Amino acid sequence: MTQPIPQSPQSAQKPQNPAELTGVRNFRDVGGLPTTDGRRVKSGRLFRSGHLAHATETDAEFLGSLGLHTVFDFRNGADHALEGPDVDLPGVRNVNIPLSDPADGGEFWKMVREGGLAQLEGILGGGKAAERMSRSYRTMIRNRTAEHSRVVHALAEDSVPALMHCAAGKDRAGLSIAVTLLALGVEREAIVADYLESNAPQNRYRVRRGSDAPEARAPEVMELLAPLFDARAPYLTAAFDTIDEEWGGVERYLAEGLGLTPGTLDRLRGRLLD
């Protein structure tokens, strides 16, 4: 399946390309999203996607045409071993900031790939899969402030245009994009709407299973796995709720959690907002 490169009427500045991305999923420009003060995110400045390990030569040519300064890769070593390193984009800085511990849940994800129906029912059934995802989002917001701070500070200083990705481009990259958009003052509803675009058929991560046997991808199995591979609004809402509960709101989260000064926020917004 190929993925058409999204074309947006919001700005003529957005790079146009008639080709299709065949080895990179979930790619999009977040330009055009509205802020609470009536501004918009500039097109051609901040992109998101799944991993770049399987990018074709044509994909790499398109990505190279974006004028990227930095690619932020939020995968860990286990992801790299499974998928491979990103393709090399000449002149583009690749910054790896792992946002998950491969030792945390390694056996769980092995079960996701290889477990049978009864095993999966035990670890995912009865709402346990969705609960795990919401808990993961809360944990990343609470425990990864240093990493998110590093990303947003880099964007404010010299790392734009930037592309953020993890494996699927949904969870770790999704939260990093969400944090950046909060710092820009983007409306929460718009952040959620962009996040949910990861559910589009051409964007979805291809679920890996350890066997090609029909029972490995039986409807009952895929239904149990769905909460892990869906983008669901309650997951991102759990992250927002954590910000409100831990810091009393976005303003204190940015200042105290991420250490963003008014000057840094001004530089960030100057780089990324129209």
Side-chain angles (χ1 to χ4, degrees):
M1 179 184 296
T2 58
Q3 178 188 0
I5 294 169
Q7 306 292 345
S8 169
Q10 292 169 333
S11 172
Q13 298 178 22
K14 183 174 292 189
Q16 302 294 312
N17 188 56
E20 293 181 328
L21 288 169
T22 56
V24 179
R25 300 185 71 79
N26 209 5
F27 172 88
R28 56 189 178 276
D29 184 342
V30 300
L33 296 181
T35 64
T36 56
D37 63 358
R39 303 171 74 182
R40 289 189 180 272
V41 179
K42 290 180 181 179
S43 294
R45 308 297 280 169
L46 186 60
F47 304 90
R48 59 182 296 172
S49 74
H51 68 77
L52 310 184
H54 301 160
T56 66
E57 183 176 346
T58 301
D59 295 340
E61 288 177 1
F62 169 73
L63 295 169
S65 76
L66 300 177
L68 295 172
H69 181 287
T70 301
V71 170
F72 292 98
D73 179 358
F74 301 119
R75 297 178 298 158
N76 59 39
D79 297 315
H80 286 196
L82 184 66
E83 296 144 356
D86 283 346
V87 297
D88 182 54
L89 299 176
V92 180
R93 181 176 66 175
N94 191 295
V95 178
N96 181 222
I97 305 177
L99 285 180
S100 60
D101 182 350
D104 179 20
E107 288 301 314
F108 172 85
W109 289 105
K110 181 180 179 181
M111 183 70 72
V112 167
R113 291 192 299 271
E114 301 177 4
L117 179 58
Q119 293 169 310
L120 293 175
E121 177 66 41
I123 64 171
L124 302 177
K128 289 194 283 291
E131 290 170 8
R132 180 186 179 92
M133 294 302 296
S134 292
R135 187 167 61 250
S136 172
Y137 276 54
R138 286 182 174 274
T139 298
M140 276 193 280
I141 286 293
R142 189 180 295 114
N143 296 344
R144 296 295 185 171
T145 51
E147 290 86 347
H148 286 143
S149 174
R150 179 182 171 189
V151 170
V152 180
H153 275 90
L155 294 174
E157 298 306 326
D158 67 356
S159 297
V160 175
L163 168 66
M164 298 187 193
H165 79 80
C166 50
K170 173 177 73 76
D171 303 315
R172 291 166 289 183
L175 265 184
S176 299
I177 286 285
V179 166
T180 302
L181 295 176
L182 286 175
L184 292 173
V186 173
E187 299 172 357
R188 290 193 185 190
E189 287 185 1
I191 298 174
V192 172
D194 171 71
Y195 166 76
L196 292 176
E197 287 188 30
S198 292
N199 289 327
Q202 73 272 17
N203 289 340
R204 293 185 68 91
Y205 185 71
R206 292 187 177 96
V207 179
R208 290 175 177 267
R209 295 286 284 150
S211 168
D212 293 329
E215 58 268 23
R217 303 181 71 90
E220 299 86 352
V221 168
M222 301 309 289
E223 183 177 354
L224 286 167
L225 295 177
L228 303 178
F229 296 97
D230 289 348
R232 298 188 177 184
Y235 303 163
L236 200 52
T237 299
F240 294 154
D241 288 346
T242 302
I243 289 173
D244 294 338
E245 293 160 7
E246 297 283 332
W247 288 277
V250 171
E251 187 173 337
R252 279 184 56 198
Y253 167 69
L254 297 176
E256 299 175 12
L258 303 189
L260 294 169
T261 65
T264 301
L265 283 172
D266 285 345
R267 287 194 299 276
L268 179 74
R269 292 166 182 169
R271 288 182 180 277
L272 290 173
L273 294 180
D274 283 325

